[in-house]
PDB file of all heavy atoms in Angstrom:
ATOM      1  N   LEU A1032       0.834  -1.237  -0.031  1.00  0.00           N
ATOM      2  CA  LEU A1032       0.016  -0.015   0.026  1.00  0.00           C
ATOM      3  C   LEU A1032       0.878   1.281  -0.012  1.00  0.00           C
ATOM      4  O   LEU A1032       0.488   2.258  -0.668  1.00  0.00           O
ATOM      5  CB  LEU A1032      -0.911  -0.010   1.229  1.00  0.00           C
ATOM      6  CG  LEU A1032      -2.197  -0.922   1.148  1.00  0.00           C
ATOM      7  CD1 LEU A1032      -2.854  -0.942   2.483  1.00  0.00           C
ATOM      8  CD2 LEU A1032      -3.153  -0.384   0.079  1.00  0.00           C
ATOM      9  N   THR A1033       1.938   1.261   0.724  1.00  0.00           N
ATOM     10  CA  THR A1033       2.838   2.378   0.787  1.00  0.00           C
ATOM     11  C   THR A1033       3.402   2.670  -0.597  1.00  0.00           C
ATOM     12  O   THR A1033       3.465   3.807  -1.032  1.00  0.00           O
ATOM     13  CB  THR A1033       3.996   2.149   1.793  1.00  0.00           C
ATOM     14  OG1 THR A1033       3.443   1.921   3.115  1.00  0.00           O
ATOM     15  CG2 THR A1033       4.909   3.354   1.853  1.00  0.00           C
ATOM     16  N   ALA A1034       3.901   1.573  -1.280  1.00  0.00           N
ATOM     17  CA  ALA A1034       4.539   1.727  -2.611  1.00  0.00           C
ATOM     18  C   ALA A1034       3.446   2.187  -3.610  1.00  0.00           C
ATOM     19  O   ALA A1034       3.684   3.115  -4.406  1.00  0.00           O
ATOM     20  CB  ALA A1034       5.067   0.433  -3.092  1.00  0.00           C
ATOM     21  N   PHE A1035       2.211   1.722  -3.431  1.00  0.00           N
ATOM     22  CA  PHE A1035       1.093   2.125  -4.281  1.00  0.00           C
ATOM     23  C   PHE A1035       0.710   3.579  -4.148  1.00  0.00           C
ATOM     24  O   PHE A1035       0.476   4.279  -5.069  1.00  0.00           O
ATOM     25  CB  PHE A1035      -0.059   1.218  -4.050  1.00  0.00           C
ATOM     26  CG  PHE A1035      -1.281   1.469  -4.961  1.00  0.00           C
ATOM     27  CD1 PHE A1035      -1.321   0.824  -6.190  1.00  0.00           C
ATOM     28  CD2 PHE A1035      -2.340   2.285  -4.576  1.00  0.00           C
ATOM     29  CE1 PHE A1035      -2.384   1.069  -7.037  1.00  0.00           C
ATOM     30  CE2 PHE A1035      -3.442   2.441  -5.401  1.00  0.00           C
ATOM     31  CZ  PHE A1035      -3.360   1.850  -6.675  1.00  0.00           C
ATOM     32  N   SER A1036       0.797   4.005  -2.869  1.00  0.00           N
ATOM     33  CA  SER A1036       0.403   5.461  -2.636  1.00  0.00           C
ATOM     34  C   SER A1036       1.421   6.395  -3.198  1.00  0.00           C
ATOM     35  O   SER A1036       1.063   7.575  -3.423  1.00  0.00           O
ATOM     36  CB  SER A1036       0.284   5.663  -1.084  1.00  0.00           C
ATOM     37  OG  SER A1036       1.571   5.574  -0.477  1.00  0.00           O
ATOM     38  N   GLN A1037       2.575   5.962  -3.460  1.00  0.00           N
ATOM     39  CA  GLN A1037       3.652   6.874  -4.010  1.00  0.00           C
ATOM     40  C   GLN A1037       3.580   6.955  -5.569  1.00  0.00           C
ATOM     41  O   GLN A1037       4.353   7.660  -6.184  1.00  0.00           O
ATOM     42  CB  GLN A1037       5.047   6.355  -3.582  1.00  0.00           C
ATOM     43  CG  GLN A1037       5.218   6.464  -2.081  1.00  0.00           C
ATOM     44  CD  GLN A1037       6.458   5.799  -1.586  1.00  0.00           C
ATOM     45  OE1 GLN A1037       7.151   5.150  -2.267  1.00  0.00           O
ATOM     46  NE2 GLN A1037       6.775   6.101  -0.314  1.00  0.00           N
ATOM     47  N   ARG A1038       2.675   6.161  -6.160  1.00  0.00           N
ATOM     48  CA  ARG A1038       2.547   6.236  -7.616  1.00  0.00           C
ATOM     49  C   ARG A1038       1.259   7.051  -7.967  1.00  0.00           C
ATOM     50  O   ARG A1038       0.283   6.935  -7.238  1.00  0.00           O
ATOM     51  CB  ARG A1038       2.458   4.820  -8.254  1.00  0.00           C
ATOM     52  CG  ARG A1038       3.730   4.101  -8.226  1.00  0.00           C
ATOM     53  CD  ARG A1038       3.572   2.766  -9.109  1.00  0.00           C
ATOM     54  NE  ARG A1038       3.273   3.128 -10.450  1.00  0.00           N
ATOM     55  CZ  ARG A1038       2.895   2.239 -11.334  1.00  0.00           C
ATOM     56  NH1 ARG A1038       2.812   0.972 -10.982  1.00  0.00           N
ATOM     57  NH2 ARG A1038       2.604   2.600 -12.585  1.00  0.00           N
ATOM     58  N   SER A1039       1.308   7.690  -9.062  1.00  0.00           N
ATOM     59  CA  SER A1039       0.112   8.400  -9.575  1.00  0.00           C
ATOM     60  C   SER A1039      -0.259   7.743 -10.932  1.00  0.00           C
ATOM     61  O   SER A1039       0.614   7.412 -11.726  1.00  0.00           O
ATOM     62  CB  SER A1039       0.312   9.921  -9.769  1.00  0.00           C
ATOM     63  OG  SER A1039       1.410  10.101 -10.649  1.00  0.00           O
ATOM     64  N   PHE A1040      -1.518   7.458 -11.162  1.00  0.00           N
ATOM     65  CA  PHE A1040      -2.023   6.842 -12.366  1.00  0.00           C
ATOM     66  C   PHE A1040      -2.894   7.723 -13.139  1.00  0.00           C
ATOM     67  O   PHE A1040      -3.716   8.424 -12.554  1.00  0.00           O
ATOM     68  CB  PHE A1040      -2.789   5.568 -11.969  1.00  0.00           C
ATOM     69  CG  PHE A1040      -1.922   4.487 -11.285  1.00  0.00           C
ATOM     70  CD1 PHE A1040      -1.905   4.436  -9.928  1.00  0.00           C
ATOM     71  CD2 PHE A1040      -1.247   3.534 -12.025  1.00  0.00           C
ATOM     72  CE1 PHE A1040      -1.163   3.502  -9.301  1.00  0.00           C
ATOM     73  CE2 PHE A1040      -0.516   2.570 -11.361  1.00  0.00           C
ATOM     74  CZ  PHE A1040      -0.480   2.516  -9.954  1.00  0.00           C
ATOM     75  N   GLU A1041      -2.768   7.701 -14.450  1.00  0.00           N
ATOM     76  CA  GLU A1041      -3.646   8.407 -15.329  1.00  0.00           C
ATOM     77  C   GLU A1041      -4.893   7.566 -15.527  1.00  0.00           C
ATOM     78  O   GLU A1041      -4.792   6.378 -15.925  1.00  0.00           O
ATOM     79  CB  GLU A1041      -2.965   8.691 -16.664  1.00  0.00           C
ATOM     80  CG  GLU A1041      -1.865   9.680 -16.655  1.00  0.00           C
ATOM     81  CD  GLU A1041      -1.251   9.914 -18.001  1.00  0.00           C
ATOM     82  OE1 GLU A1041      -1.775   9.315 -19.004  1.00  0.00           O
ATOM     83  OE2 GLU A1041      -0.227  10.655 -18.150  1.00  0.00           O
ATOM     84  N   ARG A1042      -6.044   8.137 -15.298  1.00  0.00           N
ATOM     85  CA  ARG A1042      -7.304   7.399 -15.501  1.00  0.00           C
ATOM     86  C   ARG A1042      -7.886   7.803 -16.841  1.00  0.00           C
ATOM     87  O   ARG A1042      -7.790   8.938 -17.296  1.00  0.00           O
ATOM     88  CB  ARG A1042      -8.236   7.780 -14.370  1.00  0.00           C
ATOM     89  CG  ARG A1042      -7.721   7.512 -12.943  1.00  0.00           C
ATOM     90  CD  ARG A1042      -7.376   6.016 -12.722  1.00  0.00           C
ATOM     91  NE  ARG A1042      -6.765   5.774 -11.409  1.00  0.00           N
ATOM     92  CZ  ARG A1042      -6.452   4.589 -10.999  1.00  0.00           C
ATOM     93  NH1 ARG A1042      -6.709   3.485 -11.674  1.00  0.00           N
ATOM     94  NH2 ARG A1042      -5.831   4.454  -9.782  1.00  0.00           N
ATOM     95  N   THR A1043      -8.588   6.837 -17.416  1.00  0.00           N
ATOM     96  CA  THR A1043      -9.268   7.063 -18.720  1.00  0.00           C
ATOM     97  C   THR A1043     -10.507   7.902 -18.594  1.00  0.00           C
ATOM     98  O   THR A1043     -11.181   7.837 -17.516  1.00  0.00           O
ATOM     99  CB  THR A1043      -9.611   5.748 -19.438  1.00  0.00           C
ATOM    100  OG1 THR A1043     -10.141   5.996 -20.660  1.00  0.00           O
ATOM    101  CG2 THR A1043     -10.553   4.876 -18.593  1.00  0.00           C
ATOM    102  N   ASP A1044     -10.815   8.623 -19.723  1.00  0.00           N
ATOM    103  CA  ASP A1044     -12.045   9.374 -19.722  1.00  0.00           C
ATOM    104  C   ASP A1044     -13.155   8.490 -20.355  1.00  0.00           C
ATOM    105  O   ASP A1044     -14.362   8.865 -20.440  1.00  0.00           O
ATOM    106  CB  ASP A1044     -11.897  10.670 -20.580  1.00  0.00           C
ATOM    107  CG  ASP A1044     -11.027  11.661 -19.854  1.00  0.00           C
ATOM    108  OD1 ASP A1044     -11.003  11.665 -18.670  1.00  0.00           O
ATOM    109  OD2 ASP A1044     -10.359  12.434 -20.600  1.00  0.00           O
ATOM    110  N   ALA A1045     -12.750   7.315 -20.861  1.00  0.00           N
ATOM    111  CA  ALA A1045     -13.654   6.402 -21.578  1.00  0.00           C
ATOM    112  C   ALA A1045     -14.767   5.929 -20.567  1.00  0.00           C
ATOM    113  O   ALA A1045     -14.469   5.477 -19.414  1.00  0.00           O
ATOM    114  CB  ALA A1045     -12.968   5.195 -22.147  1.00  0.00           C
ATOM    115  N   GLN A1046     -15.980   6.055 -20.964  1.00  0.00           N
ATOM    116  CA  GLN A1046     -17.122   5.669 -20.077  1.00  0.00           C
ATOM    117  C   GLN A1046     -17.332   4.208 -20.109  1.00  0.00           C
ATOM    118  O   GLN A1046     -17.077   3.461 -21.035  1.00  0.00           O
ATOM    119  CB  GLN A1046     -18.447   6.391 -20.602  1.00  0.00           C
ATOM    120  CG  GLN A1046     -18.359   7.930 -20.508  1.00  0.00           C
ATOM    121  CD  GLN A1046     -18.072   8.380 -19.002  1.00  0.00           C
ATOM    122  OE1 GLN A1046     -18.778   7.990 -18.101  1.00  0.00           O
ATOM    123  NE2 GLN A1046     -17.022   9.178 -18.883  1.00  0.00           N
ATOM    124  N   PRO A1047     -17.867   3.634 -18.959  1.00  0.00           N
ATOM    125  CA  PRO A1047     -18.236   2.217 -18.951  1.00  0.00           C
ATOM    126  C   PRO A1047     -19.213   1.877 -20.031  1.00  0.00           C
ATOM    127  O   PRO A1047     -20.048   2.675 -20.457  1.00  0.00           O
ATOM    128  CB  PRO A1047     -18.892   2.098 -17.516  1.00  0.00           C
ATOM    129  CG  PRO A1047     -18.363   3.176 -16.677  1.00  0.00           C
ATOM    130  CD  PRO A1047     -18.165   4.330 -17.704  1.00  0.00           C
ATOM    131  N   VAL A1048     -19.112   0.594 -20.488  1.00  0.00           N
ATOM    132  CA  VAL A1048     -19.914   0.095 -21.583  1.00  0.00           C
ATOM    133  C   VAL A1048     -20.761  -1.072 -21.082  1.00  0.00           C
ATOM    134  O   VAL A1048     -20.235  -2.053 -20.595  1.00  0.00           O
ATOM    135  CB  VAL A1048     -19.069  -0.305 -22.783  1.00  0.00           C
ATOM    136  CG1 VAL A1048     -19.938  -1.018 -23.835  1.00  0.00           C
ATOM    137  CG2 VAL A1048     -18.311   0.841 -23.439  1.00  0.00           C
ATOM    138  N   ALA A1049     -22.065  -0.974 -21.156  1.00  0.00           N
ATOM    139  CA  ALA A1049     -22.924  -2.000 -20.742  1.00  0.00           C
ATOM    140  C   ALA A1049     -23.288  -2.852 -21.976  1.00  0.00           C
ATOM    141  O   ALA A1049     -23.792  -2.362 -22.954  1.00  0.00           O
ATOM    142  CB  ALA A1049     -24.251  -1.484 -20.147  1.00  0.00           C
ATOM    143  N   LEU A1050     -23.063  -4.138 -21.829  1.00  0.00           N
ATOM    144  CA  LEU A1050     -23.314  -5.070 -22.934  1.00  0.00           C
ATOM    145  C   LEU A1050     -24.525  -5.978 -22.599  1.00  0.00           C
ATOM    146  O   LEU A1050     -24.736  -6.313 -21.413  1.00  0.00           O
ATOM    147  CB  LEU A1050     -22.135  -5.979 -23.233  1.00  0.00           C
ATOM    148  CG  LEU A1050     -20.844  -5.151 -23.679  1.00  0.00           C
ATOM    149  CD1 LEU A1050     -19.777  -6.245 -24.004  1.00  0.00           C
ATOM    150  CD2 LEU A1050     -21.165  -4.362 -24.939  1.00  0.00           C
ATOM    151  N   THR A1051     -25.224  -6.445 -23.645  1.00  0.00           N
ATOM    152  CA  THR A1051     -26.317  -7.389 -23.400  1.00  0.00           C
ATOM    153  C   THR A1051     -25.723  -8.801 -23.424  1.00  0.00           C
ATOM    154  O   THR A1051     -25.049  -9.162 -24.397  1.00  0.00           O
ATOM    155  CB  THR A1051     -27.333  -7.289 -24.577  1.00  0.00           C
ATOM    156  OG1 THR A1051     -27.875  -5.943 -24.552  1.00  0.00           O
ATOM    157  CG2 THR A1051     -28.543  -8.241 -24.344  1.00  0.00           C
ATOM    158  N   LEU A1052     -26.020  -9.564 -22.401  1.00  0.00           N
ATOM    159  CA  LEU A1052     -25.361 -10.959 -22.269  1.00  0.00           C
ATOM    160  C   LEU A1052     -26.420 -11.973 -22.679  1.00  0.00           C
ATOM    161  O   LEU A1052     -27.602 -11.820 -22.523  1.00  0.00           O
ATOM    162  CB  LEU A1052     -24.923 -11.162 -20.848  1.00  0.00           C
ATOM    163  CG  LEU A1052     -23.876 -10.136 -20.338  1.00  0.00           C
ATOM    164  CD1 LEU A1052     -23.575 -10.391 -18.861  1.00  0.00           C
ATOM    165  CD2 LEU A1052     -22.604 -10.142 -21.110  1.00  0.00           C
ATOM    166  N   PRO A1053     -25.920 -13.149 -23.168  1.00  0.00           N
ATOM    167  CA  PRO A1053     -26.837 -14.248 -23.487  1.00  0.00           C
ATOM    168  C   PRO A1053     -27.606 -14.703 -22.256  1.00  0.00           C
ATOM    169  O   PRO A1053     -26.977 -14.825 -21.201  1.00  0.00           O
ATOM    170  CB  PRO A1053     -25.892 -15.349 -23.994  1.00  0.00           C
ATOM    171  CG  PRO A1053     -24.689 -14.640 -24.380  1.00  0.00           C
ATOM    172  CD  PRO A1053     -24.508 -13.515 -23.422  1.00  0.00           C
ATOM    173  N   ALA A1054     -28.884 -14.982 -22.308  1.00  0.00           N
ATOM    174  CA  ALA A1054     -29.670 -15.449 -21.286  1.00  0.00           C
ATOM    175  C   ALA A1054     -29.388 -16.880 -20.966  1.00  0.00           C
ATOM    176  O   ALA A1054     -29.061 -17.733 -21.792  1.00  0.00           O
ATOM    177  CB  ALA A1054     -31.156 -15.286 -21.636  1.00  0.00           C
ATOM    178  N   GLY A1055     -29.365 -17.169 -19.619  1.00  0.00           N
ATOM    179  CA  GLY A1055     -29.229 -18.576 -19.171  1.00  0.00           C
ATOM    180  C   GLY A1055     -27.864 -19.149 -19.253  1.00  0.00           C
ATOM    181  O   GLY A1055     -27.709 -20.384 -19.135  1.00  0.00           O
ATOM    182  N   ARG A1056     -26.841 -18.332 -19.476  1.00  0.00           N
ATOM    183  CA  ARG A1056     -25.512 -18.817 -19.649  1.00  0.00           C
ATOM    184  C   ARG A1056     -24.602 -18.504 -18.378  1.00  0.00           C
ATOM    185  O   ARG A1056     -24.695 -17.365 -17.911  1.00  0.00           O
ATOM    186  CB  ARG A1056     -24.769 -18.198 -20.793  1.00  0.00           C
ATOM    187  CG  ARG A1056     -25.311 -18.687 -22.185  1.00  0.00           C
ATOM    188  CD  ARG A1056     -24.887 -20.046 -22.601  1.00  0.00           C
ATOM    189  NE  ARG A1056     -24.911 -20.254 -24.003  1.00  0.00           N
ATOM    190  CZ  ARG A1056     -24.729 -21.425 -24.592  1.00  0.00           C
ATOM    191  NH1 ARG A1056     -24.528 -22.464 -23.800  1.00  0.00           N
ATOM    192  NH2 ARG A1056     -24.815 -21.539 -25.925  1.00  0.00           N
ATOM    193  N   THR A1057     -23.916 -19.495 -17.850  1.00  0.00           N
ATOM    194  CA  THR A1057     -22.859 -19.177 -16.959  1.00  0.00           C
ATOM    195  C   THR A1057     -21.560 -19.122 -17.640  1.00  0.00           C
ATOM    196  O   THR A1057     -20.780 -18.143 -17.484  1.00  0.00           O
ATOM    197  CB  THR A1057     -22.876 -20.248 -15.774  1.00  0.00           C
ATOM    198  OG1 THR A1057     -24.131 -20.236 -15.127  1.00  0.00           O
ATOM    199  CG2 THR A1057     -21.714 -19.964 -14.786  1.00  0.00           C
ATOM    200  N   VAL A1058     -21.249 -20.228 -18.390  1.00  0.00           N
ATOM    201  CA  VAL A1058     -20.082 -20.231 -19.287  1.00  0.00           C
ATOM    202  C   VAL A1058     -20.535 -19.812 -20.675  1.00  0.00           C
ATOM    203  O   VAL A1058     -21.454 -20.507 -21.205  1.00  0.00           O
ATOM    204  CB  VAL A1058     -19.405 -21.595 -19.315  1.00  0.00           C
ATOM    205  CG1 VAL A1058     -18.216 -21.623 -20.250  1.00  0.00           C
ATOM    206  CG2 VAL A1058     -18.964 -21.970 -17.873  1.00  0.00           C
ATOM    207  N   VAL A1059     -19.970 -18.711 -21.142  1.00  0.00           N
ATOM    208  CA  VAL A1059     -20.441 -18.347 -22.517  1.00  0.00           C
ATOM    209  C   VAL A1059     -19.413 -18.843 -23.486  1.00  0.00           C
ATOM    210  O   VAL A1059     -18.232 -18.382 -23.451  1.00  0.00           O
ATOM    211  CB  VAL A1059     -20.538 -16.773 -22.540  1.00  0.00           C
ATOM    212  CG1 VAL A1059     -21.043 -16.342 -23.911  1.00  0.00           C
ATOM    213  CG2 VAL A1059     -21.489 -16.255 -21.461  1.00  0.00           C
ATOM    214  N   PRO A1060     -19.705 -19.682 -24.445  1.00  0.00           N
ATOM    215  CA  PRO A1060     -18.744 -20.195 -25.378  1.00  0.00           C
ATOM    216  C   PRO A1060     -18.192 -19.161 -26.340  1.00  0.00           C
ATOM    217  O   PRO A1060     -18.718 -18.101 -26.426  1.00  0.00           O
ATOM    218  CB  PRO A1060     -19.556 -21.311 -26.135  1.00  0.00           C
ATOM    219  CG  PRO A1060     -21.021 -20.969 -26.025  1.00  0.00           C
ATOM    220  CD  PRO A1060     -21.103 -20.242 -24.676  1.00  0.00           C
ATOM    221  N   GLU A1061     -17.131 -19.599 -27.040  1.00  0.00           N
ATOM    222  CA  GLU A1061     -16.409 -18.643 -27.879  1.00  0.00           C
ATOM    223  C   GLU A1061     -17.260 -17.840 -28.807  1.00  0.00           C
ATOM    224  O   GLU A1061     -17.155 -16.585 -28.919  1.00  0.00           O
ATOM    225  CB  GLU A1061     -15.320 -19.396 -28.592  1.00  0.00           C
ATOM    226  CG  GLU A1061     -14.470 -18.508 -29.524  1.00  0.00           C
ATOM    227  CD  GLU A1061     -13.466 -19.346 -30.405  1.00  0.00           C
ATOM    228  OE1 GLU A1061     -13.509 -20.563 -30.225  1.00  0.00           O
ATOM    229  OE2 GLU A1061     -12.761 -18.732 -31.109  1.00  0.00           O
TER     230      GLU A1061
END
């Protein structure tokens, strides 16, 4: 945590993307 606090990261302006997922799938094939 100490090492992490000493770094600064550039964050993206790209917005989250919501996708429609197949119904009834836990493992989604290729």
Side-chain angles (χ1 to χ4, degrees):
L1032 283 171
T1033 302
F1035 184 82
S1036 69
Q1037 293 171 351
R1038 287 191 60 189
S1039 59
F1040 296 93
E1041 290 180 4
R1042 305 295 174 178
T1043 181
D1044 293 330
Q1046 296 301 306
V1048 173
L1050 298 181
T1051 302
L1052 302 176
R1056 292 284 202 188
T1057 299
V1058 178
V1059 183
E1061 178 185 5

